[in-house]
Amino acid sequence: MSVSPEGAFFDTGETRLSLSLIKEADDEELGSYEATDDGDIRISLNLGEGQMRGVVLKTGPDVVPALVRPVQAQQLADETAHFWHHWLSQSTYTGRWREELERSAITLKLLTYAPSGGLVAAPTAGLPEEIGGERNWDYRFTWVRDGSFSVHTLVRMGFVDEAIAFSQWLRDRIIEHRGDDTRSDSGPLDIMYRVDGSSDLHEEELPEWEGYRESRPVRIGNGAAGQLQLDIYGEAMDAVYYLDSVGIGIGHPGWLAICDLLDWLADHWDQPEEGIWETRGGRKDFTYGRLMCWVAFDRAIRLATSHGRPAPLDRWIAERDAIYHQIMDKGWSDERQAFVQQYGDTVLDASLLKMAQVGFVSPGDPRWQSTLRAMDAELVSDSLLYRYDPSASPDGLLGSEGTFSLCTFLYVDALARSDRLDEARLTFEKMLTYANHVGLYSEEIGATGEQLGNFPQAFTHLALIDAAITLNERLDAARKGRRSHSGDMA
């Protein structure tokens, strides 16, 4: 660390963090700043009425401290506010909870790496899912799953450019390994990448780091990157299909790569995997993974037939239908009267709240309604949802976790689609009270209401927007129905 009259900078050898003071050039009454023996810097500021003072942080290989005048700082703040007001003006959403949705949209924009369009799951690493526990992960990467879900969310709010940017990032990932025989077992897609599309995500522990509130180990990189998670193919294909439905199609090279992807999936969908929750207790036959494989074939079939694209339709249809029957046979538990997390077990899993959303079952299907009631009784705690019970389905890790915010918003969506509108609205509006003072959410909510896990989490904000739009549409439809009914009676 080096200190100068203009501020200070920290140098790692590869990059720098500079701290510049906001003050007038002749300001002699600023206060003081000093370096400490433990490598920190402490600043005290003397302020008078109407004055602006502060600091500016910059990162980069060559940044150095430079005096920033208050008028310059005010100009930067004004330009920032103008940018966000202009960006939000693209939104087409005019329904309820608009402020909360816009806050979530801003968060997603800030989590996106503009040069590539890659969306990071969260900008942090090591924030624990249980204080003092070992469930501490590095989320500073782009998951195919999260990014694919963002396509729906962003387009539904009118932010098409960001959706297109991620679709181009996804297209590159689909195309880049076409014809690579060395990936015959792992599949044509990795589950996550760096924002630039590279895949070096080696996980390591930092034993010298204490961790947040002594939650160890602190990890960088992510060992789940090498897992087999079959659901990503359904989420990717659903994003491609949704973009096509709003006029953003895929070209010939992309279609050929999709055909190769589906051919690989046809040979490999019926096998154990690690699943959406990235368990570290071994591969299993997860129902959600099979569900999203069904989605992959279903969306590819729809794309091929709607555009007359060449494809082995007979095979794709046969695989899609085989998955459907397998889920209805092995993914359903007569004992629980519910769809369950994995074949041959009775554990419930909130990821299956997507079943009605993706069209595998209708919201009124008796099996689906029975599954929803089972989740009501077992996974819901004061309107918040656990994703599953780790004690009933060991995931290879010690400790417990909080309720999963993504799952709570998926629950709102499922309730709304099932016309349980009062419950959906109560759950949604109660969940809004758990945001921090600027409307941000982490991954989980603890038993005492504290936020747990990496922060802010894209998945949570994606699900908030989707749940709000679905609920808003259902509430509007119900109100119109009541008005129509009243008119008929009159």
Side-chain angles (χ1 to χ4, degrees), residues 106-221:
I106 289 172
T107 304
L108 297 175
K109 175 71 169 175
L110 287 168
L111 291 174
T112 300
Y113 181 60
S116 71
L119 173 79
V120 297
T124 57
L127 295 181
E129 297 174 17
E130 179 187 32
I131 302 300
E134 68 168 343
R135 297 170 182 264
N136 317 311
W137 314 112
D138 188 349
Y139 277 15
R140 300 170 299 158
F141 306 112
T142 299
W143 268 253
V144 170
R145 178 186 303 111
D146 304 31
S148 297
F149 284 147
S150 77
V151 168
H152 295 254
T153 304
L154 292 167
V155 171
R156 290 180 84 183
M157 282 201 72
F159 300 112
V160 178
D161 288 345
E162 286 71 23
I164 291 174
F166 178 77
S167 73
Q168 292 170 339
W169 181 95
L170 179 61
R171 176 205 60 197
D172 291 343
R173 304 291 79 73
I174 292 174
I175 291 176
E176 66 186 352
H177 291 301
R178 185 171 181 241
D180 185 353
D181 294 335
T182 65
R183 300 178 63 90
S184 60
D185 293 329
S186 61
L189 287 176
D190 293 333
I191 68 167
M192 67 179 92
Y193 301 82
R194 295 184 182 275
V195 290
D196 63 359
S198 60
S199 55
D200 178 18
L201 279 67
H202 173 70
E203 181 176 292
E204 61 180 300
E205 296 183 0
L206 305 178
E208 69 277 11
W209 286 49
E210 180 179 278
Y212 178 72
R213 294 171 62 181
E214 300 185 357
S215 301
R216 295 184 177 91
V218 175
R219 300 179 177 92
I220 58 172

Side-chain angles (χ1 to χ4, degrees), residues 200-467:
D200 178 18
L201 279 67
H202 173 70
E203 181 176 292
E204 61 180 300
E205 296 183 0
L206 305 178
E208 69 277 11
W209 286 49
E210 180 179 278
Y212 178 72
R213 294 171 62 181
E214 300 185 357
S215 301
R216 295 184 177 91
V218 175
R219 300 179 177 92
I220 58 172
N222 199 305
Q227 289 187 350
L228 178 66
Q229 298 177 19
L230 294 169
D231 64 282
I232 63 172
Y233 298 100
E235 288 130 4
M237 284 305 306
D238 202 32
V240 171
Y241 175 75
Y242 186 73
L243 284 170
D244 182 82
S245 72
V246 295
I248 306 169
I250 189 165
H252 178 65
W255 178 251
L256 294 180
I258 284 174
C259 289
D260 288 349
L261 185 152
L262 269 292
D263 285 345
W264 179 89
L265 193 61
D267 291 331
H268 293 87
W269 66 262
D270 194 9
Q271 64 173 308
E273 43 144 352
E274 277 87 5
I276 181 176
W277 303 130
E278 301 178 355
T279 59
R280 301 198 176 193
R283 295 182 176 182
K284 300 174 183 177
D285 291 306
F286 288 110
T287 305
Y288 179 79
R290 298 298 204 279
L291 168 69
M292 297 311 292
C293 288
W294 177 90
V295 170
F297 287 113
D298 181 75
R299 301 319 190 245
I301 292 165
R302 292 170 185 264
L303 284 170
T305 54
S306 64
H307 296 297
R309 293 275 178 87
L313 283 174
D314 288 345
R315 187 183 188 195
W316 290 359
I317 291 171
E319 300 297 339
R320 180 196 62 182
D321 294 351
I323 297 169
Y324 178 89
H325 290 301
Q326 188 186 87
I327 291 174
M328 286 298 184
D329 180 30
K330 297 182 178 180
W332 171 261
S333 168
D334 287 329
E335 178 183 341
R336 296 303 305 273
Q337 286 295 292
F339 291 105
V340 290
Q341 182 187 69
Q342 55 187 284
Y343 294 171
D345 210 332
T346 58
V347 176
L348 301 178
D349 192 313
S351 66
L352 296 179
L353 289 165
K354 296 283 291 184
M355 294 185 89
Q357 191 181 98
V358 301
F360 183 84
V361 295
S362 69
D365 187 296
R367 283 191 167 193
W368 174 241
Q369 288 299 310
S370 180
T371 299
L372 200 52
R373 288 192 297 272
M375 291 187 186
D376 294 340
E378 184 170 308
L379 298 183
V380 179
S381 175
D382 191 26
S383 299
L384 307 183
L385 248 74
Y386 291 95
R387 52 182 177 172
Y388 59 90
D389 180 359
S391 64
S393 179
D395 54 15
L397 297 165
L398 299 175
S400 60
E401 59 185 25
T403 56
F404 221 72
S405 298
L406 158 71
C407 297
T408 300
F409 287 123
L410 289 177
Y411 183 56
V412 170
D413 187 279
L415 290 173
R417 292 174 189 274
S418 297
D419 291 327
R420 293 166 57 179
L421 296 180
D422 289 342
E423 294 172 76
R425 185 166 193 168
L426 174 63
T427 301
F428 182 77
E429 294 186 339
K430 180 177 283 189
M431 186 60 187
L432 293 181
T433 68
Y434 287 97
N436 76 352
H437 61 293
V438 289
L440 299 180
Y441 292 87
S442 63
E443 188 170 34
E444 301 177 17
I445 304 294
T448 59
E450 77 273 27
Q451 302 221 33
L452 298 172
N454 284 308
F455 172 91
Q457 197 204 31
F459 227 162
T460 301
H461 287 277
L462 291 167
L464 183 157
I465 294 172
D466 284 337

